[in-house]
Amino acid sequence: MSKDKVQIKLLKFFLDYSKMMSSEQRAMFTEYKNFIGWQIENKLSCHTLTEELAFLCKSQWETKSDGSNCAKQIIDFRAQRHLNDFQYEWIVINALCTFEMWERLKHLFIKPIWLTKRVVIKSVINPQLFMTVLHKHNAPTSVLEEFLPCIPDTELSTSLAKKLLCHQFVINYYVSQRDRLALLSYMQEISRDSEHYTYAERMLNSDKRWKN
């Protein structure tokens, strides 16, 4: 059955039985009816709210050169479904990762703080969960290593980098701290045949003035 026919049936059902429903049932039914109406109006056909927003974002961001302002359809959808910041960002992040839209992801969630002249992850989702989502979607290491420096807590960012196997980030951190012993210890966790191990050796043999 087409969605427009479903919409008509829902309207008829609502008119016939609304007096028999509790206020909670009426609210739930009205929201679902409005959602189907919105789908018909915008010629969309996904089955769940998550799918709908995900594909809506994809269609808009694939055609818009500037993603700083969400398309009107996305704003309308979010307002109609009463999505809070966490719900909205959770769906958007997972959608962008699923569609491998890494540049758009960085554009939306890496923002500068003018007072401190540094960039941060601008999200209501905490950094650890944010990075875990990216990792579970198999985000490229290069993408992970662009987000890691945006975490103000260096202890947390380094810990996450180790878990996510972002070796270059960890190596660079120990080099910046002039911590030779920590770097030597970390090298034991890296394959000797890898380019990261070679890079770490090169850093150790550089003219860096180590503190230990």
Side-chain angles (χ1 to χ4, degrees), residues 17-35:
Y17 296 97
S18 60
K19 292 182 180 179
M20 300 170 58
M21 297 179 185
S22 67
S23 58
E24 184 179 352
Q25 288 173 326
R26 278 198 298 272
M28 291 175 62
F29 185 85
T30 302
E31 278 199 14
Y32 181 62
K33 175 179 65 66
N34 290 341
F35 178 54

Side-chain angles (χ1 to χ4, degrees), residues 65-174:
S65 59
D66 181 10
S68 60
N69 295 315
C70 289
K72 184 177 183 301
Q73 278 192 334
I74 298 175
I75 296 173
D76 290 346
F77 182 95
R78 182 181 178 183
Q80 184 194 53
R81 302 305 293 164
H82 309 295
L83 294 175
N84 61 35
D85 290 341
F86 184 94
Q87 292 169 323
Y88 172 72
E89 290 185 6
W90 181 261
I91 294 173
V92 167
I93 290 168
N94 279 277
L96 290 171
C97 289
T98 298
F99 301 131
E100 299 184 352
M101 300 176 74
W102 309 119
E103 290 303 315
R104 182 65 67 190
L105 181 75
K106 290 185 287 184
H107 182 82
L108 288 176
F109 291 101
I110 295 180
K111 300 294 182 182
I113 296 179
W114 300 113
L115 290 176
T116 59
K117 295 184 178 180
R118 66 170 299 165
V119 291
V120 296
I121 297 175
K122 191 71 173 178
S123 175
V124 297
I125 299 171
N126 73 66
Q128 187 166 358
L129 181 56
F130 190 101
M131 296 302 298
T132 300
V133 172
L134 268 60
H135 180 62
K136 286 188 175 182
H137 280 284
N138 298 314
T141 301
S142 59
V143 172
L144 297 176
E145 290 186 340
E146 286 195 59
F147 278 95
L148 283 167
C150 302
I151 300 174
D153 186 338
T154 54
E155 185 176 341
L156 174 60
S157 62
T158 306
S159 174
L160 284 170
K162 290 179 180 179
K163 290 179 182 177
L164 304 178
L165 303 181
C166 294
H167 298 309
Q168 182 137 346
F169 181 89
V170 180
I171 293 168
N172 287 338
Y173 173 72
Y174 288 138

Side-chain angles (χ1 to χ4, degrees), residues 1-64:
M1 183 181 294
S2 65
K3 276 194 166 60
D4 54 344
K5 290 182 179 179
V6 171
Q7 175 78 343
I8 293 170
K9 279 185 172 290
L10 284 170
L11 286 171
K12 187 176 185 302
F13 179 89
F14 185 69
L15 290 172
D16 291 344
Y17 296 97
S18 60
K19 292 182 180 179
M20 300 170 58
M21 297 179 185
S22 67
S23 58
E24 184 179 352
Q25 288 173 326
R26 278 198 298 272
M28 291 175 62
F29 185 85
T30 302
E31 278 199 14
Y32 181 62
K33 175 179 65 66
N34 290 341
F35 178 54
I36 292 180
W38 184 89
Q39 287 182 309
I40 294 169
E41 182 182 345
N42 291 282
K43 299 179 180 178
L44 299 169
S45 58
C46 296
H47 299 295
T48 69
L49 183 150
T50 301
E51 284 181 306
E52 200 72 81
L53 180 55
F55 282 98
L56 180 59
C57 289
K58 181 175 186 288
S59 67
Q60 292 297 315
W61 289 329
E62 279 185 335
T63 56
K64 305 294 182 184

